[in-house]
Amino acid sequence: MLHLGGLRTALFNYLLARRYGGSFILRIEDTDQKRLVPGATENIVRTLEWAGLLFDEGPGKCSVDSTTTTFFQSQRSKIYLQYAHELLNKGAAYRCFCDARRLESIRANSSSQGRAPMYDRHCLNLSQRQIDEKLRTGEPFTIRMLSANPADPASADVAGFNDIVYGNMRFRGPAGFDDAVLLKSDGLPTYHLANVVDDHLMGITHVLRGEEWLMSTPKHRTLFKAFGWTIPQYAHLPLLMNSDGSKLSKRNKDGPIQGYIDQGYLPSAVINYVALLGWHPSDSRELFTLKELEGVFSLGGLSRSKSIVSREKLDWLNRQHLRREISSPTTLPGVAAQSDY
């Protein structure tokens, strides 16, 4: 189910698209088959509709000039396979035949030495003859990216970049420069490959996402560079926190949006509240409708400070929106309809 952090990311992307004449695209990242939840896509679409965030392209909705026929990544595996082979041919990726036992041994050894687990490039050193023999016998494999060397001057534009929220970033490794798996042995891509390919094919110019992906940005920039594609601008949004300073999780009672819907909160109040979790207007104003947010949102207002989730603030905003909507004959029917949502 869509949670508070996911709604915030969707909202900021929506507002950016509306403010500057772009397209708001809903892409279903469902390549991790083990984590699929039945009904999750329907919940996301239904929740976005409840919040008023209508996407321009996505499941069941393609624009007239769009070349994208499906927005489910699990249905685009042939596309990712094509680009994975392009990387292989360019020497920007390689096949890895290591089994789970060997990979676990690498992880355990790294952990015992206090180092972050990183693949040791064992399969990078296989001869073409060895690779051909393994392929002939049907030995399963993954495809790994050949990550950049952060110390190499030629990798300066990969290791260093400007993040819209965090400013100038410089990664010196080793974190962010491991040879991540791009294509799994089941033929499905990982986030790293699928999102880079889709961002390019769908013409994404700005990527607004959670800060947990900040460390992976050098990998993604490496892939864009390997393909020869224009790298989008990145904005990583700080974590949402509980009042005790702990990270807000999807399982927290304040996490799922469905909980707010069930408790009768107005969509306008929830959207107003979520907008203020990491974004600040140019003045001291706090009360906004979605339409008003579309006119004032700017990337310059995004904050790097972590936001505290406060029910008291949401309750106050809900009262303000309720008063505003009750006093308006055009919105009063909508308030009544919410009780039946």
Side-chain angles (χ1 to χ4, degrees):
M1 296 196 297
L2 192 63
H3 58 94
L4 204 61
L7 181 62
R8 181 185 65 167
T9 300
L11 173 62
F12 288 170
N13 278 280
Y14 169 90
L15 293 176
L16 180 66
R18 292 294 175 266
R19 180 74 191 277
Y20 299 104
S23 295
F24 178 50
I25 301 173
L26 176 60
R27 195 165 66 204
I28 306 301
E29 298 167 357
D30 58 347
T31 58
D32 189 345
Q33 299 293 294
K34 296 178 181 178
R35 299 178 62 187
L36 288 183
V37 177
T41 298
E42 292 78 7
N43 175 267
I44 291 172
V45 172
R46 186 170 60 249
T47 303
L48 290 178
E49 290 177 346
W50 173 83
L53 307 183
L54 304 181
F55 51 88
D56 302 301
E57 298 180 45
K61 185 187 293 185
C62 295
S63 66
V64 176
D65 58 349
S66 176
T67 58
T68 304
T69 57
T70 177
F71 293 86
F72 291 84
Q73 289 186 333
S74 61
Q75 299 173 10
R76 295 167 58 82
S77 56
K78 290 183 179 179
I79 297 173
Y80 308 129
L81 180 61
Q82 169 193 336
Y83 285 104
H85 279 282
E86 180 177 329
L87 291 175
L88 285 174
N89 293 335
K90 289 182 173 182
Y94 59 96
R95 293 181 178 87
C96 175
F97 297 90
C98 293
D99 58 22
R101 181 179 300 178
R102 185 174 190 281
L103 295 175
E104 179 55 38
S105 176
I106 294 173
R107 281 191 288 268
N109 185 53
S110 298
S111 179
S112 67
Q113 297 180 33
R115 295 184 287 106
M118 293 185 68
Y119 182 63
D120 61 2
R121 291 188 169 177
H122 170 77
C123 288
L124 179 61
N125 299 312
L126 294 177
S127 68
Q128 188 59 52
R129 186 174 181 176
Q130 289 174 306
I131 294 172
D132 291 342
E133 177 61 19
K134 290 178 180 294
L135 292 176
R136 187 187 67 78
T137 58
E139 193 167 329
F141 64 88
T142 61
I143 295 179
R144 290 182 179 271
M145 66 179 290
L146 183 60
S147 63
N149 179 357
D152 185 348
S155 301
D157 58 341
V158 169
F161 59 92
N162 181 69
D163 185 85
I164 293 171
V165 175
Y166 286 93
N168 291 325
M169 304 295 297
R170 180 73 185 178
F171 289 83
R172 294 176 173 81
F177 293 91
D178 54 305
D179 290 1
V181 171
L182 300 179
L183 205 69
K184 295 174 286 188
S185 58
D186 62 4
L188 288 174
T190 61
Y191 175 91
H192 304 301
L193 178 63
N195 278 45
V196 166
V197 169
D198 284 348
D199 283 349
H200 170 71
L201 296 180
M202 297 180 186
I204 303 301
T205 59
H206 292 74
V207 176
L208 278 63
R209 60 188 183 186
E211 71 170 18
E212 63 269 23
W213 291 108
L214 184 59
M215 194 63 69
S216 295
T217 306
K219 296 188 188 73
H220 302 158
R221 292 178 65 84
T222 296
L223 291 173
F224 272 105
K225 187 177 180 180
F227 283 121
W229 297 338
T230 300
I231 302 175
Q233 296 185 58
Y234 289 94
H236 289 88
L237 309 173
L239 297 173
L240 297 182
M241 312 298 289
N242 295 307
S243 57
D244 62 1
S246 61
K247 175 185 174 182
L248 181 72
S249 73
K250 298 177 182 179
R251 290 173 290 278
N252 185 290
K253 65 180 179 63
D254 289 327
I257 298 300
Q258 189 61 47
Y260 298 96
I261 297 174
D262 293 341
Q263 293 173 57
Y265 283 98
L266 294 175
S268 57
V270 173
I271 284 295
N272 191 163
Y273 174 64
V274 169
L276 299 177
L277 294 174
W279 173 79
H280 302 287
S282 58
D283 53 29
S284 58
R285 183 179 173 191
E286 291 187 296
L287 199 60
F288 295 94
T289 64
L290 179 58
K291 192 66 178 177
E292 290 167 341
L293 286 169
E294 292 176 14
V296 300
F297 179 79
S298 70
L299 293 174
L302 295 176
S303 170
R304 67 179 63 181
S305 300
K306 292 178 173 55
S307 299
I308 303 296
V309 174
S310 167
R311 278 295 181 118
E312 290 77 11
K313 182 63 172 290
L314 174 58
D315 289 341
W316 179 82
L317 286 170
N318 198 61
R319 289 194 296 271
Q320 306 311 308
H321 280 269
L322 186 59
R323 290 191 183 107
R324 173 187 281 187
E325 297 191 15
I326 286 177
S327 65
S328 171
T330 60
T331 57
L332 184 56
V335 176
Q338 280 304 119
S339 62
D340 299 322
Y341 192 89

